[in-house]
Amino acid sequence: MHKYLKSIGFSEYNTTLLNRTLKNEVMQNPNRKEMFQAEEENYFCFEKDYGECFGLCVIKAGETEENSEIVAFYPYVRGYNYLYNEKFDIDPFSDGEGFYGYCDDSNIGIPMIFFINNPVDFRSTRKYLEGEENLNCVTLSGLASDGVVLLPIEQNESQKKKERRENEKRLDMINQAKSGSVEAMEALTIQDMSQYTCVNIRSKKEDIFSIVSSYFMPHTVECDKYAVLGDITDVVTMINKKTKEEVYYLSLKCNGIDFEVMINKKDMMGVPAKGLRWKGHLWMQGQMDCL
């Protein structure tokens, strides 16, 4: 998690001593400070904003605030496009540093796992609802370690409408297949084989990124890290109040899902703008809520 400090403007804070300085600053002068109980232990959460929608969080565990130890320290970024899903599964990480959420979204085609970056609100809501089954909304965001700006694929309006109709048809078949339809499973298999053949033929003469318009796939063995290629729908340049480093706050649309990504300007190759595409690797976070 510490490698993503640079994503919110702390690129020079790459030593244990400097990280300890940041932790002390967050605990001594937080914007938000809350306490929650879990598994017969008290947890103290400190959050400090270093920009409009990003900052650092420190979580301590113990009987009292004075007699507690730091169990989690991570940067966060808030998004504003929510994703609704009827069922989320939530579990703690094996190392004890927080929780991860899980949902199976048909748009992506794979199970999506993300780090829950609002643990206090999440626990309060789950306790109030007496269960996690009612948590049906997440606002996704990501911290990127690197990124490249790409040109969009040239399409006219007729081609865009055709692509939308084909995507809607595919989503319908995926939902039918999940319900047990053998015909839908066979149709999806045939479609995948046809697409594989088409890509294999075109890739001999064309660049792969002129064929593949977007993707969302796991990256490394860590479950909440992804490689992403998506369309840029908005760009905002922000400044870290402490380090004065500039960061990009990108709104992306990828495989039918909208979410925000923050990346240090130093780690971006190219100048992002609405209508272009962005390719990079990110740590996916999510703010759990209920509708």
Side-chain angles (χ1 to χ4, degrees):
M1 297 181 186
H2 294 176
K3 66 177 287 189
Y4 294 96
L5 286 173
K6 65 176 183 177
S7 302
I8 64 169
F10 289 104
S11 59
E12 302 300 324
Y13 285 74
N14 50 11
T15 66
T16 302
L17 179 60
L18 290 174
N19 282 342
R20 187 180 302 124
T21 302
L22 278 179
K23 293 175 185 178
N24 291 334
E25 182 177 293
V26 173
M27 291 185 290
Q28 292 171 6
N29 189 28
N31 291 102
R32 292 171 297 280
K33 176 181 174 183
E34 298 178 272
M35 188 271 285
F36 64 91
Q37 291 182 320
E39 299 174 358
E40 300 181 354
E41 193 163 24
N42 295 323
Y43 288 83
F44 305 90
C45 180
F46 307 82
E47 288 186 346
K48 183 173 180 61
D49 298 328
Y50 288 91
E52 183 179 343
C53 58
F54 63 92
L56 296 171
C57 178
V58 174
I59 298 179
K60 300 178 71 178
E63 292 184 4
T64 63
E65 183 179 333
E66 292 74 19
N67 298 322
S68 58
E69 296 183 356
I70 295 175
V71 295
F73 171 61
Y74 59 87
Y76 62 82
V77 58
R78 309 295 190 200
Y80 60 85
N81 285 294
Y82 73 85
L83 171 67
Y84 178 81
N85 196 289
E86 292 182 356
K87 176 62 177 177
F88 284 99
D89 290 319
I90 297 146
D91 288 297
F93 279 101
S94 57
D95 59 9
E97 293 194 7
F99 299 84
Y100 67 87
Y102 163 98
C103 73
D104 190 2
D105 193 274
S106 300
N107 286 292
I108 297 176
I110 60 171
M112 181 174 58
I113 300 173
F114 53 89
F115 179 84
I116 295 176
N117 63 11
N118 62 329
V120 176
D121 295 337
F122 154 68
R123 281 198 169 272
S124 301
T125 304
R126 189 172 68 167
K127 183 177 180 180
Y128 174 74
L129 296 172
E130 297 182 348
E132 60 190 48
E133 63 276 359
N134 292 311
L135 289 163
N136 54 16
C137 174
V138 62
T139 304
L140 295 173
S141 56
L143 294 173
S145 57
D146 59 84
V148 179
V149 179
L150 301 178
L151 291 172
I153 294 178
E154 185 177 5
Q155 288 181 316
N156 57 38
E157 193 60 33
S158 176
Q159 290 172 319
K160 291 179 181 179
K161 288 182 180 179
K162 181 181 178 181
E163 184 178 351
R164 285 195 293 267
R165 287 196 300 268
E166 290 177 349
N167 288 338
E168 290 173 0
K169 184 178 179 181
R170 179 174 175 81
L171 286 175
D172 184 56
M173 284 194 295
I174 291 175
N175 291 328
Q176 290 181 39
K178 288 180 179 180
S179 301
S181 172
V182 177
E183 292 81 3
M185 295 179 191
E186 293 176 349
L188 286 169
T189 302
I190 294 172
Q191 188 181 78
D192 289 343
M193 292 174 63
S194 176
Q195 288 181 344
Y196 175 79
T197 303
C198 180
V199 170
N200 192 37
I201 294 172
R202 290 182 60 184
S203 63
K204 295 177 181 179
K205 297 181 179 180
E206 301 177 49
D207 182 82
I208 190 65
F209 294 115
S210 66
I211 304 170
V212 179
S213 59
S214 67
Y215 59 71
F216 190 99
M217 58 187 184
H219 175 67
T220 76
V221 297
E222 297 178 86
C223 58
D224 52 359
K225 308 299 189 300
Y226 294 92
V228 171
L229 171 63
D231 297 320
I232 301 174
T233 59
D234 194 18
V235 180
V236 179
T237 302
M238 299 183 179
I239 297 177
N240 185 305
K241 292 187 293 187
K242 180 177 177 65
T243 65
K244 307 305 179 184
E245 290 186 27
E246 290 187 336
V247 294
Y248 287 124
Y249 185 67
L250 309 176
S251 295
L252 299 181
K253 179 178 282 293
C254 178
N255 288 30
I257 292 180
D258 296 294
F259 57 92
E260 281 64 50
V261 171
M262 181 159 282
I263 180 172
N264 196 303
K265 191 175 182 179
K266 299 176 183 177
D267 298 321
M268 177 74 86
M269 183 179 294
V271 180
K274 183 178 179 179
L276 300 179
R277 291 186 294 169
W278 181 84
K279 179 178 77 74
H281 301 96
L282 58 84
W283 172 33
M284 185 61 72
Q285 299 184 348
Q287 188 172 350
M288 293 299 304
D289 206 342
C290 61
L291 291 178

